[in-house]
Amino acid sequence: MSWDYRFGALILLSTLIDYFVGLQLSKTESTFKRKLYLYFSLITNLVLILGFFKYYNFFATTVNQVTGIWSSPETLPILQIILPAGISFFTFQSLSYTIDLYRREIPVEKDFLNFALFVSFFPQLVAGPIVMAKTFLPQLFERKHLESIEFRVGIRMFLLGYFKKAVLSDQIAPTIDAIFANPNGHNTGALWIGAVLGIVQVYLDFSGYSDMAIGSAKLLGYQLPENFKLPFIATSISEFWRRWHMTLNSWLRDYIYIPLGGSRVSSVRRKWNLWFTMFVSGFWHGADWTYIFWGSWNGLFYVAEEVVRPPEKRKQLRPWAWILLNLFTCTVCFMGAVFFRSHSLSNAFDHLYGMFTIKEGVLRPYMWKHFLWTVFFLAFGHYLGYLIFEKKKFFAPPAYIEFALLPFVILILSLFTPDNSLPFIYFQF
């Protein structure tokens, strides 16, 4: 609403619709009526709200291109629509409530203010993590005690997220923007730097926001779900996506993959379910063929991995095997990031072609500088995270020392923050 007050009507509309649907679902046992109310929620949220604001112009442009072959290119008008921040997140959050209520997995929430707080809880509202009703609503009934709030953990999470976003991600943004804006003007080394830093920047930017959201919520006494867990140590595509944007993948698993039959179906159907779920993930990210191709790309390798290395045959890896599989997994993700970050499919294919051929072009010294120190911090951070979260090795300094150092930490972060801060990447989704 600080951007445009009229966008507040969208989240209010979604809240009112699903609150009303929830009350009606709690009042009827008729299977037909329950399905009717659920479909009403799905259609209004996915078609009328999310579909119109995010996908209308994409479909209109595609239809015009197809029909323009044999008739007028203006079959459907192109509208001047501004995508409201956070629309993909709050619609999915609100839908989790009606779907779980339809499944009888949670009780109805009769207090409108409680339900509205769940949908509009500000820390994660515009860029996640996606919070499901069954994990957040019960927290509204827990009595909060000041001494039970994890202030130290919340502050650490917020500062870590700020470091990822402002100090690392925003610093390398000019390098990435320059490479992806003109892939034909850069040489092979620069294109590889762009592919690697492309996904690294998304990780730093998005996980940085998630860390700050989780830290902010902790300071208020609420627990938000983890959204990233050291994705670049993964040794398989499936493991990578279990560690990346974990709340979206959990949502897709619970409300797309499992309803399609999950792994309770034939081997062929299960592989289709896996691919289709990743396809939906790509389409959720943006109304552009680059995102659809990115989701399909990841789904293709997900399925290929199931054929070559099914889960039941994955064993403890030796160091050399771990290194090779980790490099392969990261390379697949780097190549996928080319589609995610490119302005068009033609630019993406030009970028990939230049990566695997000897191509002349520009490679500025600052690009290597950004690449080396960013990869160093990423590797060092993943190593520390591995020790803390995987090996459970903790170091907790005395509280008085930690709080005494906070002003100096904030000063150092401020000195290394660029003058022009950039909006979060996931605001566009």
Side-chain angles (χ1 to χ4, degrees):
M1 291 177 68
S2 65
W3 178 17
D4 189 325
Y5 71 93
R6 291 171 294 182
F7 289 145
L10 286 177
I11 192 168
L12 177 60
L13 176 62
S14 180
T15 303
L16 288 171
I17 288 170
D18 288 324
Y19 176 72
F20 165 78
V21 169
L23 291 180
Q24 298 307 311
L25 286 173
S26 67
K27 293 177 182 178
T28 180
E29 295 297 325
S30 168
T31 302
F32 174 76
K33 289 184 178 180
R34 291 176 66 82
K35 285 186 177 181
L36 197 63
Y37 289 126
L38 177 64
Y39 292 154
F40 175 72
S41 173
L42 292 173
I43 292 171
T44 51
N45 279 286
L46 295 180
V47 179
L48 298 183
I49 297 178
L50 186 61
F52 176 75
F53 282 91
K54 189 169 183 175
Y55 298 105
Y56 171 78
N57 278 345
F58 170 71
F59 281 116
T61 302
T62 302
V63 169
N64 290 344
Q65 290 173 344
V66 173
T67 58
I69 298 174
W70 62 81
S71 64
S72 171
E74 291 298 324
T75 303
L76 293 175
I78 304 300
L79 305 179
Q80 299 300 317
I81 301 174
I82 298 176
L83 182 67
I87 189 171
S88 296
F89 290 92
F90 70 72
T91 50
F92 269 34
Q93 286 189 187
S94 188
L95 277 176
S96 75
Y97 170 75
T98 53
I99 296 173
D100 285 346
L101 197 58
Y102 172 80
R103 294 174 174 177
R104 307 181 192 274
E105 294 180 357
I106 59 173
V108 65
E109 177 52 65
K110 295 183 179 180
D111 188 320
F112 177 74
L113 290 181
N114 278 347
F115 182 72
L117 175 58
F118 154 66
V119 178
S120 62
F121 189 56
F122 79 89
Q124 91 301 338
L125 179 62
V126 288
I130 298 173
V131 180
M132 297 187 192
K134 55 190 172 188
T135 63
F136 187 84
L137 284 175
Q139 297 186 53
L140 299 179
F141 300 95
E142 298 173 356
R143 189 171 182 83
K144 308 297 179 185
H145 299 282
L146 191 63
E147 61 272 15
S148 65
I149 294 178
E150 300 175 295
F151 284 105
R152 295 173 70 182
V153 177
I155 293 172
R156 289 175 198 164
M157 292 290 293
F158 190 92
L159 292 178
L160 174 62
Y162 183 91
F163 175 73
K164 288 179 179 178
K165 162 62 181 172
V167 179
L168 295 181
S169 175
D170 286 358
Q171 293 278 12
I172 63 176
T175 293
I176 300 164
D177 292 342
I179 293 172
F180 279 95
N182 182 24
N184 288 318
H186 293 84
N187 70 15
T188 301
L191 295 178
W192 272 102
I193 289 174
V196 174
L197 291 188
I199 191 170
V200 169
Q201 188 209 11
V202 173
Y203 166 75
L204 294 171
D205 193 284
F206 189 21
S207 71
Y209 181 96
S210 298
D211 290 344
M212 286 189 275
I214 293 170
S216 300
K218 278 186 179 293
L219 297 178
L220 299 172
Y222 293 90
Q223 302 292 330
L224 297 185
E226 189 177 18
N227 211 23
F228 289 86
K229 191 174 183 179
L230 312 174
F232 293 102
I233 68 171
T235 56
S236 65
I237 303 300
S238 56
E239 183 187 0
F240 183 90
W241 290 110
R242 288 196 300 270
R243 294 174 175 273
W244 178 285
H245 204 347
M246 296 158 65
T247 55
L248 173 62
N249 291 319
S250 296
W251 199 99
L252 294 172
R253 178 199 64 206
D254 291 349
Y255 304 116
I256 301 293
Y257 177 70
I258 292 177
L260 287 173
S263 36
R264 305 182 309 275
V265 293
S266 67
S267 176
V268 173
R269 177 61 186 275
R270 178 174 183 272
K271 292 175 177 58
W272 160 257
N273 292 344
L274 288 171
W275 180 87
F276 183 75
T277 302
M278 295 307 299
F279 168 82
V280 172
S281 175
F283 196 44
W284 176 89
H285 275 83
D288 197 296
W289 287 109
T290 55
Y291 296 115
I292 294 175
F293 202 95
W294 171 76
S296 302
W297 168 273
N298 288 302
L300 177 65
F301 278 93
Y302 211 131
V303 171
E305 181 181 272
E306 290 286 313
V307 175
V308 177
R309 251 182 100 215
E312 62 272 11
K313 292 186 179 180
R314 295 172 198 170
K315 302 176 182 178
Q316 187 70 26
L317 297 173
R318 295 181 179 180
W320 64 267
W322 186 95
I323 293 172
L324 290 177
L325 288 173
N326 177 255
L327 286 174
F328 174 78
T329 300
C330 290
T331 301
V332 170
C333 295
F334 296 153
M335 294 170 65
V338 172
F339 295 101
F340 190 89
R341 298 305 304 270
S342 292
H343 302 298
S344 66
L345 281 179
S346 60
N347 275 12
F349 288 119
D350 289 342
H351 194 128
L352 287 173
Y353 179 77
M355 288 170 61
F356 293 96
T357 57
I358 305 301
K359 186 176 183 300
E360 299 295 328
V362 175
L363 174 55
R364 306 293 184 190
Y366 72 85
M367 294 178 178
W368 275 117
K369 177 184 174 182
H370 284 175
F371 174 80
L372 291 174
W373 65 260
T374 303
V375 171
F376 167 77
F377 276 112
L378 180 73
F380 183 68
H382 271 56
Y383 174 70
L384 288 181
Y386 175 77
L387 294 179
I388 294 171
F389 299 111
E390 304 282 332
K391 293 298 184 179
K392 308 299 180 184
K393 294 182 179 181
F394 300 99
F395 170 71
Y400 68 91
I401 294 180
E402 183 172 347
F403 282 106
L405 289 175
L406 279 179
F408 299 99
V409 173
I410 293 172
L411 175 62
I412 292 171
L413 290 176
S414 301
L415 292 174
F416 283 93
T417 298
D419 293 333
N420 297 321
S421 61
L422 301 173
F424 288 95
I425 292 174
Y426 264 65
F427 276 14
Q428 63 185 299
F429 304 134

